[in-house]
């Protein structure tokens, strides 16, 4: 399994719309579901900072995610552009995979990116 985690600082007054778009049934998850390598999305709101959120997108493998990004590049970029007004800041905070799920090439690639 491969997981990508993002952190977002949402603009005041946009929290509800952000939750609708980035949540497990939102526009991002709907786009991801077009690919069989997608598993699920999780959305968490920081209880100490109510405009800070974290998402986790789960994929069968890094290769599945990368293939999705290549195939759906235009749709991904269009949705990303539509969502820019919702956030003040976004940061990819990590990518991880279960070691037993990695091919040797994936394992080497992750080591070289550190």
């Amino acid at each position: 399994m491969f997981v990508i985690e993002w952190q977002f600082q949402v603009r005041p007054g946009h929290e509800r719309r952000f939750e609708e778009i980035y949540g497990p049934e939102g526009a991002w998850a709907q786009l991801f579901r077009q690919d069989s390598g997608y598993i699920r999305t999780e959305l968490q709101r920081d209880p100490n900072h109510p405009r800070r959120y974290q998402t986790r997108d789960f994929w069968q493998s890094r290769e599945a995610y990368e293939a999705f990004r290549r195939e759906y590049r235009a749709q991904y970029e269009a949705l990303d552009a539509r969502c820019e007004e919702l956030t003040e800041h976004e940061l990819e905070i990590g990518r991880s995979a279960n070691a037993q799920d990695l091919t040797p090439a994936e394992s080497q690639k992750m080591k070289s990116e550190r």
Side-chain angles (χ1 to χ4, degrees):
M1 184 178 316
F2 180 69
V3 182
I4 302 176
E5 297 181 65
W6 289 86
Q7 184 179 81
F8 299 89
Q9 183 70 29
V10 177
R11 293 186 190 278
H14 289 86
E15 297 88 351
R16 185 178 201 165
R17 184 76 179 129
F18 178 88
E19 291 174 14
E20 291 171 355
I21 292 174
Y22 285 83
E25 301 303 320
W28 281 107
Q30 290 174 26
L31 174 61
F32 298 158
R33 278 190 196 107
Q34 295 181 50
D35 191 276
S36 63
Y38 170 73
I39 298 172
R40 72 178 184 279
T41 293
E42 296 176 354
L43 174 65
Q44 293 182 335
R45 187 176 196 176
D46 186 330
N48 298 314
H49 302 277
R51 291 187 300 115
R52 184 180 303 159
Y53 290 82
Q54 184 172 328
T55 62
R56 287 183 200 89
D57 299 316
F58 293 80
W59 295 83
Q60 290 178 357
S61 66
R62 174 188 286 267
E63 289 174 342
Y65 171 73
E66 291 175 352
F68 162 81
R69 286 295 305 264
R70 284 189 301 273
E71 184 173 346
Y72 293 92
R73 180 179 176 195
Q75 296 95 319
Y76 187 102
E77 290 176 357
L79 182 55
D80 192 46
R82 284 190 0 230
C83 294
E84 282 185 19
E85 69 182 18
L86 301 175
T87 60
E88 295 174 344
H89 178 68
E90 69 181 66
L91 174 67
E92 183 181 318
I93 57 176
R95 293 178 179 215
S96 61
N98 294 336
Q100 67 269 20
D101 295 338
L102 295 177
T103 67
E106 288 175 320
S107 180
Q108 185 60 39
K109 185 173 183 178
M110 288 188 76
K111 286 178 186 176
S112 68
E113 291 177 351
R114 289 185 186 164

